[in-house]
Amino acid sequence: MNNISIQTTNEYCATGGGISRSSFKGQTLQESPDLGEKVRELFDGSGVQLSTKNVTFARRETVFLEDDKADCFYEITSGTMCVFMAMADGRRQIVRFASKGDIVGLTLLDRYELSVETITRSTAVRIRLTDLIEKLTMSPQLAKNLLTYVSEELIDAHQKMLIIGRKTATERVATFLWAMAQNGQRAGWREGQIRLAMSRSDIADFLGLTTETVSRAITHLRQVGIISCVGAGRVFLKDAESLKELALGFEA
Amino acid sequence: MNNISIQTTNEYCATGGGISRSSFKGQTLQESPDLGEKVRELFDGSGVQLSTKNVTFARRETVFLEDDKADCFYEITSGTMCVFMAMADGRRQIVRFASKGDIVGLTLLDRYELSVETITRSTAVRIRLTDLIEKLTMSPQLAKNLLTYVSEELIDAHQKMLIIGRKTATERVATFLWAMAQNGQRAGWREGQIRLAMSRSDIADFLGLTTETVSRAITHLRQVGIISCVGAGRVFLKDAESLKELALGFEA
DNA sequence: CGGGCATTTGAAATACATCAATGGGCGTGG
DNA sequence: CCACGCCCATTGATGTATTTCAAATGCCCG
């Protein structure tokens, strides 16, 4: 069953760090590569009409900011983004990293409650949020799918609170690497292979630490033989069991 | 519009700290005081049949534990509970405090992903989770309401991450007191009046700190004249503006 | 191959945790 | 109703994990 209507257009967003706005090049190519797999899942069986566009973002570009008018959401098709909340003085907490298949910007409110920016050059499918709430009332299936989606995010969020609030620096980094290894496996990478697209500073903002502390924790894990690194972005998991124990807090 | 069917029975849960199970005293009183206001909101217009029971929990009693089979959820009618996640070695992170009108235990999964215990003696309306997922498909209104509810929780969770991950001890306590003051106002208390039903240790587990640090932060806020206290549980907000600035991180 | 940014590493500072002891409030029981 | 005892909160002293400041190295990309 796949009765979603999809109109697709391509668009290049090069807004130089500002908020991405349509550049309306008039292209209306009817492509549909691997675009919107997750969105298909969510909207499948709903009978809802979706108008989508393929968009591209440069590295370290803002996708949208907290309190911006929420007009679109995105399913990432390539690259990595981070979803974060910031304080007036610049301190920020990254709530999650998002990559292929993940959705960002999906909200019921009329303004985004979080900011999103790219870490690497990224592509995404952009979908209008227009009347999402009305659509919900019309399609129980859609509402149910979205509820499942948000519920999963909530469980994730709760676990992250425990990580940030109650774990030591090494435990936090171990937990993070463990999760990244799991991600990798789901994406079909070689066992134990971890690719970190984000900087140490991003990881720090994700774990509630500083760049230096993250670096030291990784160095420590390397010295005790749990991981090995080649460059900053390529990590190999040598002792998965110990990493997991550390992550869970068993005083390794 | 109020077409919910409600069957009500009363029950006293005195399971001495263990997991609460039905004691089935056979009482089937058709009362309906202020029970389930929030639940009414959620299920109103859904046409869904609900079987509810009034239950009572002693102080510091477990309502349910993470990984317990999820059979019921609760709307609190009086008292205060805490919702938390725990690590094997006892470290715990309180995810939220819940009091009158709040719902705990609402999940789509078949096991709870969080634990709940009471802080004070509490009463609640207990509602079966049976076939919640099926009910969703049948009622778009219900699915939509639940989605809104979970979305609000998610926003809350994100804000809490920022608090725990990026704020100093004093800022965290200030943020907490600020939120409690807001709660109080919504509940119709006198301006600036704050009642803390939870212990310092609970607050610590909520903010990712220790009892002593929370105590010191509160003492500090008292010394600089932002709050005043009578006993540990009664706080009065003397300088709301400064508290808010501290909470938001403006280097007060 | 070179420039510049990110990472790593080191040393010093500090915020928070831990350990320890006292005091106070509340509930319980007489 | 009062007194007792216990638990919780507070306060102090010390320890330590993490931050901050600073510098050197390394690596990626043009």
Side-chain angles (χ1 to χ4, degrees), chain A residues 107-127:
Chain A
T107 177
L108 297 181
L109 308 180
D110 63 343
R111 295 192 172 271
Y112 296 113
E113 56 262 24
L114 294 162
S115 306
V116 171
E117 81 177 32
T118 61
I119 287 172
T120 63
R121 186 175 197 276
S122 305
T123 58
V125 185
R126 192 180 73 187
I127 299 129

Side-chain angles (χ1 to χ4, degrees), chain B:
Chain B
M1 168 167 62
N2 183 343
N3 55 359
I4 322 174
S5 306
I6 300 190
Q7 290 181 307
T8 303
T9 44
N10 291 297
E11 177 179 331
Y12 193 91
C13 296
T15 49
I19 303 158
S20 322
R21 293 279 171 242
S22 296
S23 49
F24 293 116
K25 299 193 179 167
Q27 301 175 341
T28 311
L29 311 174
Q30 282 291 346
E31 293 186 19
S32 61
D34 53 359
L35 62 82
E37 208 150 304
K38 180 83 180 186
V39 169
R40 277 221 170 80
E41 266 179 48
L42 286 178
F43 286 78
D44 200 27
S46 72
V48 166
Q49 301 261 336
L50 288 181
S51 122
T52 72
K53 245 184 191 139
N54 292 329
V55 292
T56 303
F57 295 98
R59 174 186 141 86
R60 296 292 168 185
E61 188 179 356
T62 300
V63 177
F64 54 80
L65 291 173
E66 198 177 333
D67 289 327
D68 276 359
K69 189 123 190 58
D71 45 3
C72 294
F73 71 96
Y74 303 81
E75 174 171 348
I76 302 173
T77 46
S78 74
T80 304
M81 303 183 181
C82 63
V83 182
F84 65 96
M85 193 167 263
M87 290 172 68
D89 63 1
R91 281 179 278 179
R92 71 173 191 171
Q93 176 66 42
I94 293 182
V95 154
R96 63 189 173 99
F97 294 110
S99 54
K100 185 179 173 177
D102 291 328
I103 288 178
V104 299
L106 191 46
T107 177
L108 297 181
L109 308 178
D110 63 343
R111 294 192 172 271
Y112 297 113
E113 56 263 23
L114 294 162
S115 306
V116 170
E117 80 177 34
T118 60
I119 288 172
T120 62
R121 185 173 199 278
S122 305
T123 58
V125 185
R126 191 180 74 186
I127 300 130
R128 287 247 133 73
L129 272 166
T130 329
D131 310 322
L132 183 59
I133 297 203
E134 279 73 28
K135 286 172 187 157
L136 288 177
T137 315
M138 292 164 56
S139 167
Q141 184 63 40
L142 173 60
K144 184 183 146 186
N145 289 349
L146 283 182
L147 180 58
T148 305
Y149 166 74
V150 176
S151 298
E152 281 166 11
E153 267 203 275
L154 185 60
I155 294 175
D156 247 54
H158 289 154
Q159 263 151 7
K160 215 150 296 169
M161 279 186 224
L162 180 65
I163 295 170
I164 299 173
R166 283 297 175 223
K167 292 191 183 179
T168 66
T170 315
E171 285 169 354
R172 292 185 215 192
V173 172
T175 308
F176 171 70
L177 289 177
W178 179 252
M180 290 300 285
Q182 308 288 86
N183 275 356
Q185 272 202 297
R186 257 181 280 123
W189 293 351
R190 193 147 15 122
E191 174 98 17
Q193 211 75 27
I194 304 173
R195 294 260 12 214
L196 302 176
M198 65 290 292
S199 72
R200 294 291 186 264
S201 162
D202 292 325
I203 299 175
D205 282 343
F206 181 70
L207 298 175
L209 299 168
T210 58
T211 314
E212 295 92 330
T213 303
V214 170
S215 182
R216 277 185 248 270
I218 289 177
T219 301
H220 176 244
L221 291 176
R222 181 155 34 84
Q223 282 170 348
V224 299
I226 290 180
I227 58 171
S228 60
C229 306
V230 28
R234 258 173 260 270
V235 177
F236 185 76
L237 191 44
K238 287 166 70 181
D239 185 350
E241 206 46 49
S242 297
L243 189 78
K244 191 178 171 186
E245 282 186 2
L246 251 179
L248 294 174
F250 291 134
E251 298 288 318

Side-chain angles (χ1 to χ4, degrees), chain A residues 42 48 64 98 185-186 223 244:
Chain A
L42 286 179
V48 167
F64 56 78
Q185 273 202 294
R186 259 181 279 125
Q223 283 171 347
K244 190 179 173 186

